[in-house]
Amino acid sequence: MKGEHVTWKALEGESVLLNLETGVYFTLNETGTAAWELFDGATSLAAIGEALYARFDVLPEQMRQDLFELTQTLLKEGLVRIHEDC
């Protein structure tokens, strides 16, 4: 789920995230923005991957890998946190 200390703004299909604790900005492309919008704390990563696969023209294996890498990066940057129920 999204960190409570993160604010974001969508700009022409991309997003800019701001970690209010560190002051660090982070940008997401169109696919990353679509994933970010689904990080609600209630939707599992598997369901997010399925939604992204349905929306973008990419192989399922590639979508899973990209979503995993995005999630790991966002965790490292403190922009999301793991919600064990998802």
Side-chain angles (χ1 to χ4, degrees):
M1 75 185 303
K2 297 172 189 151
E4 293 117 18
H5 57 277
V6 178
T7 187
W8 68 287
K9 175 98 174 149
L11 306 165
E12 299 179 24
E14 297 186 349
S15 291
V16 177
L17 314 178
L18 171 61
N19 183 328
L20 297 172
E21 291 181 346
T22 64
V24 174
Y25 285 92
F26 193 84
T27 59
L28 297 174
N29 64 16
E30 182 180 4
T31 308
T33 297
W36 176 258
E37 291 171 344
L38 295 169
F39 289 147
D40 59 7
T43 306
S44 69
L45 282 178
I48 291 171
E50 290 173 17
L52 295 175
Y53 172 71
R55 182 171 170 183
F56 296 98
D57 183 27
V58 65
L59 295 172
E61 298 81 25
Q62 185 64 51
M63 181 56 68
R64 281 192 290 275
Q65 181 64 33
D66 291 349
L67 181 59
F68 175 78
E69 290 175 8
L70 173 64
T71 303
Q72 292 302 308
T73 300
L74 294 174
L75 280 166
K76 185 178 109 182
E77 296 294 329
L79 299 167
V80 296
R81 59 188 176 93
I82 295 178
H83 190 273
E84 295 295 331
D85 294 337
C86 289

